[in-house]
Every structure is written in structure tokens, then in C-alpha cells.
Amino acid sequence: MKKHFLRALGLVLTLAAGLGWLTYRHFDFFVPRLASEEGAVVDRLLRVHFFLIAVIFALVVGFAVYSVWAFRGRADDDEPGLNIHGHGGLEFLWTVIPLGIVLGLSAVGVQDFLFLRRSDADLVVQVQAQQFSWTFFYPEYDISSSELWLPTGRRVKFEMTSLDVIHSFWVVEFRIKEDTVPGMTTYAYVTPQVEGEYVLRCAELCGSGHARMYGTVKVVSPAAFEAWVAEQQAAQRALAGDARARGEQVFQQYCAVCHTLDGSPSIGPSLQGLLGREVLLEDGRTITADEAYIRESILDPQAKIVAGYPPVMPGTFQQALSAEDLDALVQFLLQLDE
Amino acid sequence: MRHVLTTGLVRGLLGQVVGFLLGVQMARAWGASSWLEDGPLTWASTLSVVGFMLASGMVSDWLGWLAGRFEPPRHAAPPGKPRWWRYFSVDYDHKIIGVQYGVTALVLVGLAGSVALIFRAELSKPGIDSLEPAVFNTLIGWHGIVMIAGILTGVAAMGNYLVPLMLGARDMAFPRLNAFAYWINVPGVMLVVLALFLRWETGWTGYPPLGVQTLPGAIPFYLGVFVVGFSSILGALNILATVIGMRAPGMTLFRMPIFVWSMVATSIIALTATQLIGLSFVLVVLERVFGMTFFSPVLTEAAQAMAAPPGRPLLFQHLFWFYSHPAVYVFILPGLGIISELLPVFARKPLFGYKWIAMASLAIALVGFLVWGHHMFTSGMSDVMRVTMMWTTLLVAVPTGIKFFNWLGTMWGGKLTFPTPMLFVLGALSIFLIGGLSGPPNGTVSTDLFLHDTYWIVGHFHATMFGGFVYPYIAAIYYWFPKVTGRMYNETLGKVHFWLMTPAFWTMSLGQMLAGLWGMRRRIVDYDPALGVEGLQTAVTAAAHVIFLAMLIFVFNLAWSAVRGRVAAANPWKSRSPEFQIPSPVPDENFAVPVVVVGEPYDYGQPQPYVTFATATAAADD
């Protein structure tokens, strides 16, 4: 039996070395590029987890595979195997050692978590999630934006909420994820470190538009960030006057995820040439699209459903759009060409 | 044909349809404009379940007692009915009920698996090709809940068929309750089928506020799950009563077959936790129908009229996961019990650490109640709760590890043979290993902030489900097939099943985990091509098709062999367990002569048997 044990152990160590090398040294194969300081903390522990997975897998599979190979019986053989019922010492060992490992992992996990969630921050960004788009407010600069611009090297505190259902804020390269919940403010902390363009993706099923609920994230140098802020402040003052451009911007922000402008159907009907169009509703009526219908469709979408489309348009635009934004949007839609 | 129409199943389904239509008519009489509104749909769904219950015969005996008529439970087909009729009607024999559960499980798993092939086709390439998002979201939710129903019925199949036999008992403690617990699944599942057609977009977890807002299919979904829950609760009660009160003479608790221990642990959970998912789902239905705001922060008119405070979405998640986490141990503890039960037989040596394995099952059940918050690590739950739940979650790894090491001890120094049941046991071991090992990164809060709601999680739970339920269930079916049918399955086809399914499953598992690590979220109809996961998704889709094919071969093997298989010996595996000491198929009364326990269950190779049949002499020797 001792010979068997040593041979099995040899198999385990070979497997462990191979799998351990694969997971620890080639960790970068398994994860996308890293772009935040908090993400580095996540990756460090994840790498340890993968190494442990590799080693424990090798341990169990090594002994199992060795047994399958070395301890074969024959179907006609009536000889039993070793008559052992258990071993108190082994039970103790393989209870206490795993207990030690999980307690150790928990201790490191607590430390990492507290570090990730410490409340100091250099910049506050308020995030508003809704079906199916994101809006960002920078209270320090009094600007709002549909794109998330961030400077490198500053710890950002995201104060987040949702207007309708639960969404979740997640940029893969930042690693950190946190749900946005209606009626609550939730928090995430990220210190971006690598300049570039990233994609924010909603990570909690929120309806028909969930898969494509994306936001654009731009991480730039602190100087470029200041320049962008100034540009936004100026642009938002100017936009207050230009209703048409404002309307198009609102359309892109809130409507484009489900409605196209080129005639092609999407989750919702295309809005090309909407004014004056004969619209067939699911209850069989046909109505002519006028301004009243367009307004009603935005503020109370369940009132009339277009035939052939699911009744999934969110009812939150009444809350999300200011009176000026709504007027601008309606004006924009009224003059879309055939 | 005449006989088909009189079966409990057909009568019950007709009763369900009649009940539903009656409900719709009543709602119309009360002024509802469409049956697709939440109120009418709720009323019609409820009446449909009552209709099924009355028409199927599942409450007939009890209604008879109310009317002063008592009939002893029938132990054969009614006069004039063929034997097969018993399997499609209300029958009180635990072996018939076990087969009913078992076939239902295969049907549900087959349906849910077929639906998976539909959305897997959509996912093999980026872009939205054939499934509109609302349909996709419905299909993945349906896949999840129907698989869960399939697993619960599979667990009940194993428990109900095996526990009385393993204890040397004549039947379960409450045979009529047993039949009720099986049949209540049918109207519940039919409501979930209705939800498929009416559609709902929350996935199987049903989170509000989306659950309140989404399409009408949410109503039959929530109500269907509520109804199916009764099967778990009542079945568990029956198992515990049977184990407590009906063990053969000499069968102390530590001389029970180990599978019974796993069913005890499972039943403790199912009996006490299932109520929480029923509660949370009913509350969402009340939100939809009456405008109550338990979970919705925006006050409805009704809530304002009641001066209710704003609701909290996280409350739902706490209530829901308080059941749904322990539920996963309901799914896997029986399967792990099957592994423990079969390894000694195919190693011809005792189960290593029997008492430790038994206690570990209870420990998993207990600690499993304390970890639900790990499903909520990104939910906005307080940091204190997140840290606490991380400690408890990682603790569950310890009793699970104890089982694995004792299984290794059972194999070590054995005389191993590898017929199909043993292949599936070993497959289960390796797959549950990777599933379980992929757990700690999710149980640690910091790493879970990355992994939550990605395909890594999908990979984790498919591996734990296949390793903890699917493979052991298949092993159990092959192993007890000769006992149930009296015929042997085809061994070659069994090996083909295993060797097709296992590499495919590993491909699927590793593919899902890697796709998640590379940034693919779960529950999405379309993924960003920039993530680079298209190759992985195509591989996962191909693997799913191979798994499906392997399962078709399995079902063909079972159907063919049940009719044309070689007649089997009473004890083809030379097991010491009580059920293998009596003829195959098992006689109606189970043990014509009662069994007495005189030795240890797993002392293979030792002269002292585990059970003997009671004789006058043996009784005098006591």
C-alpha cells in the first residue's frame, strides 16, 4: 500500500505542478485586460483561487485516476477490497486543513473587500440607470452626460440608482460591479488607471433591451478630462437654446436602443417618417400618427401597442424626461423624413 | 383508447382546462375586459389547479372520508384496467409513484434541454438572428425553472422508490399523501407551460420590480412554482416520518444505507425552506393584482390609499434566496448519496468514513441555511452582511470536502469494476469536483464583484448540477433498472452514452467558465463580438447537441431494454442492500418475509450479512 501511495502522490504532484503552472503563470490568458486599481486587488485574489483550484483538483483526480488504474478487479473475481472502515487521523487532517484554507481565504477576502469599499474618493459621479440607457451626473461640475468620462489616477465614487427596475453597473476592465436599485442609492469605487475607451454593460436582466444596454466609457488623462468638462459646460449652456439638436441627443440617449431611424424594425418599430403614418394597432384599429399620439406613446406606452411588437416599452420616460427634453424630442420626431 | 381517457392524468388535465375556463368566465362576469390581465389570470390559474385536483382522483379518498366513506388503499389496478393504467393514475404504491416521478423527471429535463438547444442556436453567433429578446428571455427562464422542477421530481423519484426498500419497509408512512405530492406537480408545471406562451422576462429568479412590470406570463410562472413547492414540502414530510418510524428491526440510524441519510438531510431542508419561495412569489402576485408595494419603491394608487410605506427590492431577494440557496443542496445531496451508496458496491469494500459522511450531509444542510447572501454580493446589500455571508459560504466547502476524501478512501485498495453505473458515478465525482471548486471565487466577495452575473456562474452551476444530480441520477437509473423492470439495460449503449456525454459536458463547462471570465454576461440574447467569445459559444452549442444525442441514446436504451432486455438476476451487482435480496421486479408487498438487520451495510467480503429474513428461529434467538 505504501508503494501505491507514493506512486499516487507522484501523479498528484505532477498534475498539480502542470495545472498550477498553467493557472498561475498564464493567468492573463483567463482574464481581460485590467484597467483599474481595484481590479488589480480582485485579480490578485482570483489568481490565488485559480491556483488552489488547480492543486485541489489535481489532488482528488490524481488519487481517483490512480485507483482506477491500480485497483482494478475482475468481474468474475469474488475477492473483496481492503476491509477498512475509516481512519480517525485522516478525517481530522482533511477537516482541519480545508478549514484552515477557507478561513485564510476569508481573512484575505475581508481585507481586500474593506480596501475596495473604503469610502474616500476624489471624484463623485452620480449614475442613473433606466431601461435601457445610462445617464451620468457630475455634481462638482454641474454637467450631465450620456458618456462616462473619467480621469486616470483619481478614485471615483459612483452614487447610483435606477429609475425603474434593477440594473447593474459593470465595466469588465474595471472588474468591480454593483447593482443599481430603484428607491436606493448604491455605491461603487473605481480608480481608473489605463487610458482608453471601454464599454459599460448592464449586468442584471432588466427586460428586452438588457443585452444591448451599453454605455460608452472614456478614460483620459487628467488634463483631457478637465478640457472635456469645460467643453460640456459650454455645450450644455448652448444646447439650452437649440431644441432640434437637443431632441436628437435625447433620441440617441433614450430611444435608439429599441427604435431605428432607417425603417428597419428592431425591438420597437422604426420611427422613420412617423408623422402622418397609418399605424395598425394590436387590437385591430388603425390610427394616424399625429403629435398627440407621439406624446402619448412616450409618456404612456402601454396605451396603444403597435401590432406585431411586444408590449415592453418602459413607462419611466415621464419621470426621466424634463418638459424641455420631451418637447425637443417630440419636435425632432415630427420632422423625420420618409 | 378508452383506458387512456379514464387515467388520472387525462381526467386531471381536462379538469384543469375546465377550471381555467370557469375562472375566465367568472372574471368576465365580474367585469374584466380580457383574461390576459393579472386578476383574471390569477383567478383562472387558481381554479385550474382545483379543477385538476378534483378530476384526477388525487383527493378522492380524503373527500370520501369527509362524507363518511372509508376505502382501504388499493394495491392493484382497478378491475378491468390494464397494469400500465396505474402509472398514469393516482396510485398509492411507492414504487409506482417512484417511477411516475422518475419518468416525469426525464420528460421535464428533456423539454428544458430541448428549449436550451433553441437559444443555444441563437447564441452560437453574435447578433440577434432568430429570437426576439422577449422570447429569448422567456426561454432561458423557462429552461431554468423546468430543469429545477425536473431535478426536484428526480430527487423525489430516488427518495420515494428507494427509501422504503432500503429500510425494509412495506411502503412510505403516508401513501395517499405520497400520491398527492406527486400529482400536484402536474397542474403546477402546466401553469409554467402557460407562462412559456404568455412570456415573462425576469428569468427563473423572478426579481421585482421587473417581475411586477413584465409580461402576463409572470402570473402563471409565479403561481405554478408556488404549487410545485407543495410537492417538495409534503414529500419531505413523508420521507422523515418513514425514516423515523418504519425502519426494520436492528436498523439503528448508523446502520441505515447511506442514501437514506442523504434523503434525511435533503428532507429537512425541503420541509422547512420551500415556504420562502412560495411566500416571495405570492407577494409579487399580490403586487401585480392588488397594487401592493412590498418590493416596489414607487407607490401605486392602491398603496397610497393604504398609506403603505415604499417597498424594498432587496427584501424579495432575501426571502427568495433564503429558500433558493438551500434548494441547491436539495438538488445535490441525494446525488452525492448515490455516489456514496454505489462506490462500495463497485469497489467491494466498506464505505470509508460512513459516520463522517452521514454527519457531513447534515452539516451541509445546516450551514446551507446561513449562506444565502452570496447571491446578493453585488445587490447593494450592506457591507456587514456581505462579509458575514462570505465566511459562512466558504465554510460549506469543509463538509463537502470531507465527502470527497472519504470517496477516495472508499476507492483506495478496492477491487474496482466499471459497469455503466460506476462510470457515471466517477463522472459525477469529477464534474462535481470542478463545479464545487469553481465555487470559492464566487463565495469571496471581492472576486464575486467580477464574476457575478457572468457566464462563469453559468458554468459553475451547470457543473454542480450535472455532477450533483444529472450524473448520479443516470447512474441510479442504470443501477436499479434491473430491480425495477426485471430486465437488464444494454451495457454497450450505456458506455456509448457515457463516452459521448462526458467529453461534451467538459467542453460545455470549461467553455462557459472561460466565456464568463472574458466578460460575457449571463441572460443576454446578444453578446459583443469584441469580447472574443464567439468560438467558445459555438463550442458550447455543439457540446449541448452532443449531450442531447447521448441522452436520446439513454432513453432509447431504457425503453428498449424494459421490453426486450435480457431477464436480470435478482442481485446483478452482488449488493448487500435489502432491495437486492428480494426478486426483480420488486413484488407488490416488497418484503414477503420481513427483513432483520444483523450486520453492517458495507462489509463486502465479510461473512456476516447485512440483512436476513426473519424466521421463527431468528426471532427466538433475539
Side-chain angles (χ1 to χ4, degrees):
Chain A
M1 274 301 129
K2 188 161 169 207
K3 208 174 42 170
H4 283 301
F5 180 76
L6 289 172
R7 285 205 206 123
L9 195 62
L11 178 60
V12 165
L13 290 171
T14 314
L15 269 175
L19 292 173
W21 173 81
L22 194 76
T23 53
Y24 201 77
R25 296 271 287 148
H26 291 274
F27 178 73
D28 289 333
F29 168 76
F30 295 106
V31 293
R33 63 181 171 137
L34 179 63
S36 80
E37 186 185 288
E38 291 76 9
V41 171
V42 169
D43 277 8
R44 196 182 62 214
L45 189 51
L46 194 59
R47 199 175 183 192
V48 169
H49 271 298
F50 283 5
F51 180 75
L52 281 172
I53 291 172
V55 166
I56 298 172
F57 186 83
L59 176 69
V60 176
V61 167
F63 275 102
V65 166
Y66 184 81
S67 299
V68 162
W69 176 73
F71 299 123
R72 294 177 160 270
R74 282 192 336 264
D76 51 351
D77 181 1
D78 265 338
E79 281 295 301
L82 279 183
N83 187 241
I84 38 172
H85 289 85
H87 187 293
L90 276 177
E91 300 285 357
F92 178 78
L93 269 181
W94 63 47
T95 303
V96 163
I97 294 177
L99 186 62
I101 294 175
V102 301
L103 291 177
L105 278 175
S106 299
V108 174
V110 171
Q111 244 184 343
D112 282 359
F113 181 63
L114 294 178
F115 177 77
L116 293 180
R117 299 286 286 180
R118 66 190 197 285
S119 56
D120 61 281
D122 298 320
L123 172 65
V124 170
V125 177
Q126 292 167 346
V127 177
Q128 181 180 282
Q130 66 186 96
Q131 289 165 319
F132 299 102
S133 59
W134 303 90
T135 314
F136 308 100
F137 301 93
Y138 296 74
E140 200 179 315
Y141 307 112
D142 197 30
I143 55 177
S144 74
S145 170
S146 59
E147 290 187 340
L148 179 61
W149 283 64
L150 299 171
T152 54
R154 285 170 75 182
R155 183 169 161 90
V156 182
K157 178 183 186 182
F158 292 100
E159 296 176 346
M160 312 193 286
T161 191
S162 167
L163 292 187
D164 38 38
V165 299
I166 301 174
H167 300 274
S168 192
F169 177 92
W170 190 43
V171 177
V172 171
E173 295 83 357
F174 293 166
R175 299 292 189 262
I176 305 303
K177 174 188 295 122
E178 188 80 10
D179 288 359
T180 64
V181 183
M184 254 176 95
T185 306
T186 58
Y187 304 95
Y189 302 88
V190 178
T191 312
Q193 285 175 321
V194 180
E195 292 181 36
E197 189 167 317
Y198 304 93
V199 181
L200 166 65
R201 299 186 180 92
C202 175
E204 180 63 48
L205 179 58
C206 56
S208 295
H210 169 64
R212 289 177 172 171
M213 186 168 156
Y214 296 144
T216 303
V217 181
K218 292 200 162 109
V219 176
V220 296
S221 69
F225 179 72
E226 297 297 326
W228 173 80
V229 167
E231 203 181 282
Q232 289 300 303
Q233 286 171 328
Q236 275 164 39
R237 278 193 291 274
L239 256 187
D242 184 346
R244 195 204 172 286
R246 181 74 188 136
E248 180 165 6
Q249 191 191 62
V250 171
F251 174 84
Q252 291 300 339
Q253 164 79 346
Y254 295 111
C255 320
V257 71
C258 295
H259 296 279
T260 65
L261 293 177
D262 63 7
S264 57
S266 178
I267 296 175
S270 179
L271 303 182
Q272 184 188 57
L274 183 56
L275 178 63
R277 188 198 292 169
E278 295 293 301
V279 180
L280 176 64
L281 302 177
E282 63 161 13
D283 59 10
R285 289 182 292 162
T286 304
I287 55 152
T288 309
D290 57 5
E291 183 174 336
Y293 168 70
I294 293 174
R295 276 184 186 272
E296 182 193 56
S297 298
I298 297 170
L299 297 176
D300 184 10
Q302 301 300 318
K304 293 184 178 67
I305 307 292
V306 176
Y309 290 92
V312 295
M313 181 164 163
T316 38
F317 298 114
Q318 193 158 37
Q319 201 186 343
L321 296 175
S322 66
E324 298 81 28
D325 281 350
L326 177 64
D327 284 337
L329 175 62
V330 170
Q331 292 310 309
F332 171 72
L333 293 174
L334 284 175
Q335 47 76 64
L336 289 174
D337 297 324
E338 282 297 338
Chain B
M1 191 54 193
R2 192 177 18 108
H3 291 313
V4 170
L5 291 174
T6 56
T7 57
L9 176 63
V10 170
R11 280 171 25 207
L13 289 174
L14 287 172
Q16 184 161 22
V17 170
V18 166
F20 192 88
L21 293 174
L22 183 64
V24 168
Q25 279 308 103
M26 290 168 78
R28 284 228 176 90
W30 294 332
S33 51
S34 159
W35 67 277
L36 281 173
E37 285 165 36
D38 291 342
L41 209 46
T42 304
W43 182 242
S45 299
T46 309
L47 280 194
S48 82
V49 176
V50 173
F52 184 98
M53 284 166 56
L54 292 173
S56 62
M58 64 195 276
V59 294
S60 304
D61 271 21
W62 293 322
L63 290 178
W65 294 359
L66 289 176
R69 275 192 337 263
F70 177 81
E71 287 196 24
R74 186 176 21 88
H75 283 300
K81 298 290 178 201
R83 188 177 156 73
W84 62 259
W85 191 92
R86 294 180 75 181
Y87 288 94
F88 292 92
S89 303
V90 176
D91 194 286
Y92 302 133
D93 186 324
H94 76 99
K95 298 184 294 298
I96 303 257
I97 295 173
V99 171
Q100 289 172 325
Y101 267 121
V103 171
T104 304
L106 289 175
V107 167
L108 292 175
V109 166
L111 282 174
S114 308
V115 159
L117 293 184
I118 300 175
F119 62 74
R120 282 274 19 125
E122 170 64 52
L123 285 173
S124 51
K125 291 190 340 286
I128 299 179
D129 310 301
S130 50
L131 294 180
E132 67 176 60
V135 172
F136 177 90
N137 291 340
T138 301
L139 289 179
I140 48 139
W142 206 79
H143 169 78
I145 197 62
V146 174
M147 277 298 181
I148 287 174
I151 295 175
L152 288 174
T153 45
V155 162
M158 294 187 285
N160 277 289
Y161 194 94
L162 297 173
V163 168
L165 288 170
M166 286 181 167
L167 296 180
R170 162 78 185 80
D171 205 309
M172 296 280 278
F174 304 115
R176 289 185 189 82
L177 192 67
N178 204 10
F180 182 94
Y182 167 70
W183 282 104
I184 196 69
N185 279 298
V186 179
V189 168
M190 293 314 292
L191 288 179
V192 173
V193 169
L194 179 61
L196 176 66
F197 292 101
L198 298 185
R199 298 180 290 168
W200 89 102
E201 290 197 79
T202 60
W204 79 271
T205 50
Y207 281 13
L210 183 59
V212 179
Q213 184 203 79
T214 191
L215 299 158
I219 292 281
F221 163 69
Y222 288 124
L223 294 173
V225 174
F226 179 83
V227 168
V228 166
F230 282 99
S231 178
S232 285
I233 297 171
L234 299 172
L237 190 148
N238 221 342
I239 296 264
L240 289 172
T242 308
V243 174
I244 290 170
M246 296 176 70
R247 280 171 282 131
M251 191 179 284
T252 58
L253 287 177
F254 285 128
R255 275 185 166 185
M256 295 191 304
I258 192 72
F259 177 73
V260 180
W261 272 105
S262 68
M263 285 309 299
V264 166
T266 303
S267 300
I268 291 172
I269 303 172
L271 180 65
T272 53
T274 312
Q275 292 78 346
L276 270 292
I277 189 174
L279 170 71
S280 59
F281 277 17
V282 160
L283 291 180
V284 183
V285 171
L286 291 177
E287 286 216 10
R288 287 184 71 114
V289 175
F290 295 116
M292 295 184 178
T293 50
F294 306 104
F295 313 122
S296 301
V298 177
L299 291 180
T300 58
E301 276 177 39
Q304 283 164 358
M306 286 185 259
R312 293 148 83 131
L314 259 58
L315 176 61
F316 175 87
Q317 296 178 38
H318 283 294
L319 294 173
F320 175 83
W321 287 112
F322 189 80
Y323 163 73
S324 299
H325 185 82
V328 312
Y329 298 118
V330 169
F331 303 157
I332 61 155
L333 280 172
L336 301 189
I338 295 289
I339 296 176
S340 302
E341 192 67 46
L342 265 50
L343 277 178
V345 177
F346 294 114
R348 311 309 297 171
K349 59 191 282 283
L351 180 64
F352 197 93
Y354 171 103
K355 280 189 184 154
W356 286 79
I357 293 182
M359 293 295 106
S361 304
L362 291 182
I364 290 173
L366 197 71
V367 178
F369 271 100
L370 304 176
V371 308
W372 78 91
H374 66 239
H375 298 272
M376 297 168 64
F377 279 158
T378 66
S379 68
M381 185 171 68
S382 76
D383 288 359
V384 168
M385 281 287 282
R386 298 191 218 198
V387 168
T388 310
M389 290 288 170
M390 173 175 63
W391 286 98
T392 52
T393 300
L394 290 176
L395 223 52
V396 164
V398 179
T400 315
I402 290 176
K403 283 181 181 263
F404 267 103
F405 297 123
N406 279 296
W407 292 334
L408 292 179
T410 307
M411 290 169 68
W412 187 261
K415 294 275 186 213
L416 303 172
T417 54
F418 304 98
T420 304
M422 179 62 163
L423 290 177
F424 276 94
V425 164
L426 293 175
L429 209 149
S430 72
I431 292 170
F432 190 69
L433 180 63
I434 195 65
L437 287 177
S438 59
N442 315 329
T444 312
V445 185
S446 55
T447 46
D448 189 55
L449 294 182
F450 176 54
L451 298 171
H452 178 76
D453 246 90
T454 65
Y455 245 72
W456 167 273
I457 302 290
V458 174
H460 164 74
F461 65 70
H462 280 87
T464 46
M465 289 301 102
F466 267 76
F469 172 75
V470 177
Y471 269 62
Y473 184 58
I474 293 172
I477 291 177
Y478 279 120
Y479 184 78
W480 276 286
F481 186 86
K483 181 54 55 184
V484 175
T485 63
R487 293 179 184 273
M488 203 52 181
Y489 63 85
N490 182 293
E491 179 63 36
T492 307
L493 281 182
K495 293 199 155 77
V496 168
H497 175 198
F498 176 79
W499 289 109
L500 265 182
M501 186 155 160
T502 306
F505 182 76
W506 272 95
T507 305
M508 181 172 114
S509 225
L510 295 176
Q512 288 170 333
M513 290 183 193
L514 194 57
L517 289 176
W518 285 0
M520 179 169 171
R521 298 161 291 156
R522 61 183 292 200
R523 296 176 165 164
I524 50 174
V525 60
D526 177 30
Y527 49 89
D528 188 344
L531 293 173
V533 298
E534 183 176 341
L536 293 172
Q537 289 298 311
T538 310
V540 169
T541 301
H545 281 86
V546 174
I547 291 171
F548 194 81
L549 174 66
M551 292 299 287
L552 282 179
I553 292 174
F554 174 54
V555 169
F556 171 78
N557 192 357
L558 297 180
W560 176 270
S561 304
V563 180
R564 307 279 283 264
R566 191 173 30 93
V567 171
N571 194 355
W573 316 116
K574 297 186 217 151
S575 163
R576 287 164 66 89
S577 193
E579 75 276 14
F580 282 104
Q581 317 312 322
I582 50 179
S584 300
V586 179
D588 275 341
E589 72 278 17
N590 293 359
F591 301 94
V593 181
V595 290
V596 177
V597 171
V598 296
E600 299 302 318
Y602 303 105
D603 262 348
Y604 287 96
Q606 300 306 303
Q608 179 74 340
Y610 173 37
V611 297
T612 61
F613 292 104
T615 61
T617 342
D621 283 347
D622 279 326

